[in-house]
Amino acid sequence: MAKFRFSFIVFIIAFMAIVEISIAGGEGSVPIGECPSACGVRCSATHHPGECMDVCIDCCGKCLCVPSGTLGNKDECPCYRDMKTKKGLPKCP
């Protein structure tokens, strides 16, 4: 009985960690079909929504992740944060 309780508690903690990672926007948390809607939120405050959406959808397709909010929070998604243009500038909005 004690083994069962311990196993159950470990399972619950692991499940909660997985849920937290997916809520936080970690890599792989956005299915490719949801990239346009996630990027719609990300690009909603920009003055260049079309360009932002094109780049964001490309980044999301490669990383399966979009940081939360309209600006910042890129540490939620290191792949998205670290992607660079040919000139070495940050690629993803």
Side-chain angles (χ1 to χ4, degrees):
M1 185 68 140
K3 281 186 175 183
F4 174 76
R5 282 187 195 164
F6 179 76
S7 297
F8 184 72
I9 291 170
V10 169
F11 171 78
I12 294 297
I13 292 170
F15 179 76
M16 290 171 57
I18 290 168
V19 169
E20 180 65 30
I21 289 169
S22 66
I23 289 172
E27 284 161 30
S29 66
V30 178
I32 197 147
E34 293 180 19
C35 284
S37 62
C39 287
V41 171
R42 184 75 180 172
C43 296
S44 64
T46 185
H47 294 291
H48 306 283
E51 183 180 331
C52 181
M53 284 292 291
D54 290 342
V55 174
C56 182
I57 289 172
D58 183 45
C59 293
C60 180
K62 292 176 182 168
C63 298
L64 299 177
C65 174
V66 176
S68 61
T70 57
L71 186 65
N73 302 321
K74 288 187 178 183
D75 287 335
E76 294 175 358
C77 184
C79 169
Y80 190 99
R81 176 196 66 211
D82 297 339
M83 204 175 294
K84 304 288 184 206
T85 65
K86 291 177 184 175
K87 294 181 180 181
L89 300 171
K91 178 177 181 171
C92 306

